[in-house]
Each structure stands twice: as C-alpha cells, then as structure tokens.
Amino acid sequence: MEVWELVAHERIRDALAAYTHAGDRGRVEELAATFTEDGVLEIRGGEVCAGREAIVAFLAAAVGRGSAPGPDGRPGVIRHMVANLRFEEVTPRLARTSAYFLVMNARGPDHWGRYRDVLVPSGDRWLFSRRSVSVDGYGAGSTMAG
C-alpha cells in the first residue's frame, strides 16, 4: 500500500465519522457538508435526495423523530455505530466502501443496516458523492420505522 492510500483511508474514515457525529447531534447542515454539492443520499425503498439542500430538508424532518425520550422523560440521545468498514476500491479520484451500522437511542436499538458509499477527494477531505442506505431492520418502538 502506498502512502497516498493510507492517507485516503484515514480521510475516508473521518468522513464517515463526521457524518455520524453531525447526525447524532441533529446538525443537518454539517452532515450535508460531508457530501459534494451535488451528492446523493439514497434510502433504499424510500427517498433519493440530490444536493446538499435536499439532504438538509429531508434530514431536518427526521431529526425530531430520531431520539426517544429517556426513562426520566428527558430528551434522549441518538448514536450511530459503524462497523466492518470495507474499502472495496480506492484510487486517487474515487473510493467505494461499505459498512454496517446500528442506531441506538434511549430505548435501545432503533434500526440497523448497511451503507454503500462512493467518495471523492475535495482538497484535504473526502466527500460522499453517493451514500446508499439499506435498512435491514427496526427495533420495537423504533422512532424511525415507517
């Protein structure tokens, strides 16, 4: 493996982390900034959002549903866990990855599935040009089901 590939891998990992940290905090503009200007977020069997503005509009509606209240009634948290990141193709101009995810909130597991991503370099960062989300299942009382 060459040095540029190691750097690309770390910057791609950072893009995935930036996406989930922004999403967990309800910062949809920051999340959309992990995409190229014309980037696409696709939810299998549902929405296809093209461009940062469309991504912000779609996710803003989901923010209020995402975190279940805790047992004490206080607003809950939402946490994305990403595992088994696989670099399927990495070139200086494009990367294809896949990973599994699990989303937790105050009730426990909410939903889980798989990300399939295409990322491209932009300056010192890598950005999503396409993120395909496949949800495999939902927990009991999921805030995101349906």
Side-chain angles (χ1 to χ4, degrees):
M1 185 177 285
E2 296 181 35
V3 172
W4 73 264
E5 288 176 283
L6 293 171
V7 172
H9 281 219
E10 289 308 308
R11 288 182 176 161
I12 291 165
R13 283 186 179 94
D14 188 60
L16 273 70
Y19 175 99
T20 57
H21 282 252
D24 289 348
R25 290 169 176 79
R27 298 177 180 163
V28 294
E29 292 85 7
E30 286 179 30
L31 186 149
T34 66
F35 285 81
T36 61
E37 287 290 336
D38 59 350
V40 174
L41 173 61
E42 174 186 15
I43 312 299
R44 184 181 68 187
E47 295 290 324
V48 177
C49 305
R52 289 179 179 167
E53 287 183 24
I55 292 168
V56 167
F58 170 69
L59 292 177
V63 165
R65 297 191 329 261
S67 59
D72 60 1
R74 294 176 50 198
V77 297
I78 186 166
R79 297 288 185 258
H80 285 72
M81 314 310 169
V82 179
N84 298 334
L85 174 61
R86 179 167 170 75
F87 293 89
E88 296 171 359
E89 176 185 6
V90 180
T91 72
R93 295 193 176 123
L94 177 130
R96 294 181 194 280
T97 66
S98 62
Y100 301 120
F101 71 86
L102 167 65
V103 179
M104 303 285 288
N105 63 26
R107 291 188 185 129
D110 190 83
H111 61 286
W112 52 90
R114 186 171 184 180
Y115 294 132
R116 289 180 179 88
D117 300 317
V118 178
L119 298 102
V120 295
S122 177
D124 288 341
R125 301 172 61 202
W126 281 72
L127 301 175
F128 297 99
S129 65
R130 182 172 202 94
R131 169 159 267 197
S132 298
V133 181
S134 299
V135 178
D136 296 333
Y138 297 93
S142 170
T143 59
M144 300 304 279

